[in-house]
Amino acid sequence: MKIFKHYSRQGLWTLFLACAFPIHVWAIILIFNDVEWIAERSNFLDSIGVASYGLIFAFVESLLLFLAAALLGFLVSTKWGGERLVGLMSALATILALWAMAGQLYFFLNAPFPESWIAFFASLGRPLRFLYVAAFAVVLPTVLIPTWLILKFEKPLKFVTAALEKISLLTSLYLFFDLIGFVVLVFRNL
């Protein structure tokens, strides 16, 4: 059944799984990073509780990213509907998630911004505006190139579709962990 000539039910489910996959992978990496020191600080059950909160937060982020991607898909022409639209929106959601992960990783590594760059930006009349333009210039190709490839050629679309098929089972397992996390939080907060 098509929804507004853009998505089928299976297409929406695939798009949701594509949005949930990178967010859950990143959440699980962060959970494994934190579980040990939380268990040492208090106890193992507290670390399970924190992991549950992380999984629920990842689920909510996945829903928000899915809603944004699905709504953005309505701006795409109906001639690119179906599999091509789901592939495009999945790729764009993954790119957005990867950029968000890169930003968090930079923060977590406590990597300093090079002082020569700071001096250069400070010497400009409007350093913040230049930073936004520079960030836009870096991010734009990572969005435009995959979009163009998916919309114009069959091979990139087939690659994205195959990748979505491969991650669907694993993402379903992550969603099952979300359910377990929800149950843990319900019992923990009673």
Side-chain angles (χ1 to χ4, degrees):
M1 175 179 177
K2 290 276 193 178
I3 300 175
F4 302 114
K5 298 181 185 177
H6 279 78
Y7 299 107
S8 64
R9 287 182 191 213
Q10 180 62 36
L12 284 173
W13 178 246
T14 302
L15 180 59
F16 175 71
L17 292 177
C19 292
F21 179 74
I23 293 172
H24 278 78
V25 167
W26 185 246
I28 289 171
I29 289 170
L30 294 178
I31 288 168
F32 281 138
N33 189 39
D34 293 342
V35 164
E36 183 181 357
W37 72 267
I38 293 172
E40 288 175 5
R41 186 189 73 183
S42 56
N43 61 36
F44 186 70
L45 290 177
D46 282 346
S47 64
I48 296 296
V50 169
S52 297
Y53 278 112
L55 288 172
I56 296 303
F57 190 76
F59 179 74
V60 170
E61 280 184 330
S62 301
L63 278 176
L64 292 174
L65 181 61
F66 164 71
L67 288 174
L71 290 175
L72 186 62
F74 287 115
L75 298 176
V76 177
S77 173
T78 55
K79 84 173 189 179
W80 287 313
E83 185 179 87
R84 192 170 299 273
L85 176 64
V86 171
L88 174 64
M89 301 298 16
S90 299
L92 293 178
T94 302
I95 291 166
L96 177 66
L98 289 174
W99 274 112
M101 286 182 229
Q104 284 185 348
L105 184 62
Y106 183 81
F107 174 75
F108 290 145
L109 294 176
N110 202 14
F113 207 68
E115 289 186 33
S116 61
W117 289 18
I118 293 173
F120 172 72
F121 291 136
S123 70
L124 298 172
R126 298 180 186 246
L128 189 58
R129 186 177 294 172
F130 184 77
L131 277 173
Y132 284 137
V133 169
F136 187 73
V138 170
V139 171
L140 190 63
T142 65
V143 172
L144 288 181
I145 293 171
T147 300
W148 179 71
L149 289 173
I150 290 170
L151 292 178
K152 281 294 200 185
F153 302 106
E154 287 298 317
K155 247 185 179 172
L157 176 63
K158 290 195 184 302
F159 174 78
V160 170
T161 304
L164 291 174
E165 287 176 13
K166 290 179 182 178
I167 66 166
S168 64
L169 180 62
L170 185 57
T171 309
S172 299
L173 181 66
Y174 293 158
L175 295 175
F176 176 71
F177 289 151
D178 290 348
L179 179 63
I180 291 172
F182 180 74
V183 170
V184 167
L185 290 182
V186 167
F187 281 116
R188 207 180 132 107
N189 292 314
L190 285 178

